[in-house]
Amino acid sequence: MKNKSVFFCTECGNETPKWSGRCPACGAWNTIVEQQGSAGKGKKSTSSSGKTPFHTVKAIPLTEIETTDELRFSTGMKELDRVLGGGAVKGSLVLVGGAPGIGKSTLMLQICQTLCAFSKVLYVSGEESVGQLKMRARRLGVAGENLYVLSETNLEDVLASVEQEQPDILIVDSIQTLYNSDLDSAPGSVGQVKDCTLKLMELAKGEGTTVFVIGHVNKEGSIAGPKVLEHMVDCVLYFEGDQHMSYRILRAAKNRFGATNEIGVFEMQGDGLAEVENPSQMLLSGRPEDTPGTCVTCVMEGNRPVLAEIQALLAPSSFSVPRRTSNGFDYNRAAMLIAVLEKRGGLKVSACDSYINIIGGLYLDEPAADLAAVLALASSYLDKPISSDLTAIGEVGLTGELRSVDQLGQRLSEVHRLGFHRCVIPKRHRQKLGALEGLQLIEVSNIGEAIRAVLGK
């Protein structure tokens, strides 16, 4: 007979007969969780004497711990290895999130082809039968001999299969379909998702099994509602992009074994995901020529310089309050740049509806794209095109001045490599720039000089 589930508050330990959004004892919100047992898990257990029972676990001095290098292995995809920090770490728990249909399952099944060459992989699917998995693997060209598949949603059966097969790598697709029969809540609920992930984390840390968990992102942009999983796993990867477009971007929101500012770019094709080794060329393909309202800049995604196209459109507003819309660009920063352009650039843009769009699904969150956004807005307002061989890099201040950006030399090298002949940069930069044959540097000190140099008077 299974134990009855109870609900308790993680803040004060108060037990409640059912789940509620607010604790009736302490008033905290979203702290009620479900646990198996008859006593609140949030309360500390005590002995008959009232003292906390003695534990035999002994702490180890830091100086006595042997330091060994983390064991990494390649997944077979350079773009995924880049985001993971050089490859997957043995015994780690990786969460791969994204909207349904974005390509998470395709990515996980594709890497099995390489992983099966040196390890045993168990692919657990709660959404597809083994026959459907076979069909999809045949379409993707995956036929590893060490790949074992299991269609199961019960957590106990999954752990029993892991104990029987002893895989080196476990892939769970998806965490929303798993359920623990000891809990009364439905699969996909916060309690079920958190409990199942905790069991998988114990498996990864105790047995040294590398676990990849797929989690769907709901309409609010969170994994299984609240982001209850990010603090439990070692690495959180997000698959971004429009499922109606062919390009996908993989980002790391958390990584205990590497940096979080790297991206991987993939293209969805008929036979699976293909790596895009030159994302700058991909993002600039199809760029219109001699068209007002577009400018190219160079941003740093980790250690990789990426060229991105910024498009802007200004049109007279028919409302008392003009519209401000941005896609892939910070809304508040866009509003600030519009105000600076009118006050310091001398262009009456406040009465216009403004739209800013970043091509290719990128999200530009660094100040180096400010100057290109200002030039794109000015080009659309004046209805004058910016030369197709020109780029702009620089941060814009509230007084209209241009500030230097980091790694300017590396950015200019990428600009030169892709065939651009002119680049607008801040006049005051922190590093010495080497001469690049065929690339003219236009140094300006404020946005007024930049507009005159690029668009004329």
Side-chain angles (χ1 to χ4, degrees):
M1 181 178 180
K2 67 178 183 179
N3 295 332
K4 183 180 179 181
S5 299
V6 296
F7 299 88
F8 73 96
C9 177
T10 57
E11 292 291 333
C12 63
N14 178 64
E15 292 187 17
T16 59
K18 62 180 181 179
W19 185 90
S20 61
R22 187 178 183 182
C23 176
C26 64
W29 289 91
N30 297 326
T31 58
I32 304 296
V33 296
E34 180 185 14
Q35 291 288 352
Q36 175 187 358
S38 58
K41 300 293 183 180
K43 298 180 180 180
K44 296 182 179 179
S45 59
T46 57
S47 60
S48 59
S49 61
K51 298 181 180 180
T52 303
F54 178 76
H55 296 279
T56 58
V57 179
K58 183 179 179 181
I60 303 176
L62 181 64
T63 56
E64 297 182 5
I65 301 177
E66 296 182 2
T67 57
T68 57
D69 296 334
E70 57 189 19
L71 181 59
R72 290 185 181 268
F73 57 90
S74 175
T75 61
M77 283 192 169
K78 296 181 180 179
E79 294 297 304
L80 178 58
D81 291 342
R82 177 194 296 270
V83 180
L84 288 173
V89 178
K90 182 179 179 181
S92 62
L93 179 59
V94 181
L95 173 64
V96 182
I102 203 69
K104 305 180 297 297
S105 301
T106 301
L107 177 65
M108 290 293 100
L109 190 56
Q110 277 189 252
I111 65 175
C112 292
Q113 180 68 26
T114 301
L115 297 178
C116 289
F118 59 86
S119 60
K120 189 176 183 180
V121 182
L122 176 60
Y123 192 104
V124 179
S125 177
E127 302 176 348
E128 297 175 286
S129 64
V130 291
Q132 293 171 333
L133 280 172
K134 177 66 176 181
M135 293 173 57
R136 188 156 60 92
R138 186 184 297 114
R139 178 176 62 87
L140 299 176
V142 179
E145 296 183 356
N146 289 328
L147 176 59
Y148 294 78
V149 295
L150 175 66
S151 179
E152 184 57 58
T153 57
N154 190 294
L155 179 63
E156 288 81 0
D157 295 339
V158 171
L159 295 179
S161 180
V162 170
E163 184 178 358
Q164 178 182 359
E165 300 296 340
Q166 294 294 318
D168 301 308
I169 299 171
L170 173 65
I171 300 176
V172 179
D173 182 14
S174 64
I175 190 62
Q176 277 87 358
T177 61
L178 280 186
Y179 72 93
N180 188 350
S181 58
D182 294 330
L183 301 181
D184 296 331
S185 55
S189 62
V190 175
Q192 287 282 5
V193 168
K194 189 173 181 179
D195 186 79
C196 293
T197 305
L198 181 61
K199 295 294 192 299
L200 294 176
M201 182 187 66
E202 294 174 354
L203 172 66
K205 303 306 177 185
E207 303 296 334
T209 304
T210 305
V211 182
F212 290 90
V213 175
I214 294 177
H216 295 306
V217 174
N218 58 16
K219 295 180 180 180
E220 288 75 22
S222 302
I223 299 178
K227 290 188 175 182
V228 296
L229 303 182
E230 290 193 357
H231 72 283
M232 302 174 64
V233 301
D234 297 315
C235 183
V236 180
L237 306 182
Y238 279 105
F239 227 4
E240 302 173 353
D242 190 349
Q243 58 180 339
H244 302 293
M245 298 178 62
S246 60
Y247 294 108
R248 307 285 190 266
I249 297 177
L250 185 66
R251 297 179 183 271
K254 171 187 176 181
N255 193 355
R256 288 174 178 166
F257 310 109
T260 59
N261 52 6
E262 296 284 356
I263 67 168
V265 184
F266 300 87
E267 181 180 4
M268 179 64 76
Q269 300 178 351
D271 56 349
L273 290 167
E275 299 178 82
V276 178
E277 297 182 357
N278 192 350
S280 297
Q281 188 174 7
M282 175 271 294
L283 294 171
L284 297 180
S285 61
R287 181 176 176 236
E289 296 184 0
D290 299 328
T291 303
T294 175
C295 186
V296 175
T297 187
C298 185
V299 296
M300 296 298 297
E301 295 288 352
N303 295 322
R304 168 191 282 179
V306 176
L307 267 64
E309 177 187 356
I310 301 179
Q311 291 185 345
L313 176 63
L314 292 178
S317 178
S318 57
F319 302 96
S320 58
V321 179
R323 295 190 62 183
R324 301 281 188 265
T325 304
S326 62
N327 182 26
F329 199 89
D330 184 70
Y331 176 83
N332 294 324
R333 196 163 192 87
M336 181 196 76
L337 294 177
I338 292 173
V340 173
L341 181 60
E342 175 163 357
K343 184 70 174 181
R344 306 302 178 188
L347 302 182
K348 304 300 181 181
V349 296
S350 61
C352 299
D353 292 336
S354 62
Y355 306 87
I356 296 180
N357 181 44
I358 310 301
I359 299 299
L362 279 179
Y363 186 86
L364 306 185
D365 56 354
E366 67 165 324
D370 290 352
L371 180 57
V374 168
L375 291 178
L377 289 167
S379 172
S380 178
Y381 180 83
L382 299 174
D383 203 25
K384 292 184 178 181
I386 297 176
S387 176
S388 59
D389 66 343
L390 183 138
T391 61
I393 304 171
E395 178 184 357
V396 176
L398 289 179
T399 62
E401 86 282 4
L402 294 183
R403 300 293 184 93
S404 179
V405 297
D406 295 331
Q407 299 174 305
L408 184 57
Q410 192 173 352
R411 300 173 196 259
L412 294 177
S413 299
E414 180 71 7
V415 169
H416 178 261
R417 188 179 68 85
L418 290 181
F420 288 87
H421 302 302
R422 295 187 297 163
C423 184
V424 183
I425 62 174
K427 193 171 185 178
R428 300 178 181 87
H429 43 79
R430 293 189 289 268
Q431 61 185 103
K432 184 178 180 181
L433 303 177
L436 296 174
E437 184 178 356
L439 180 62
Q440 177 188 359
L441 300 181
I442 304 175
E443 299 183 354
V444 293
S445 58
N446 53 62
I447 62 172
E449 294 182 10
I451 295 174
R452 289 189 294 270
V454 175
L455 301 173
K457 295 184 180 181

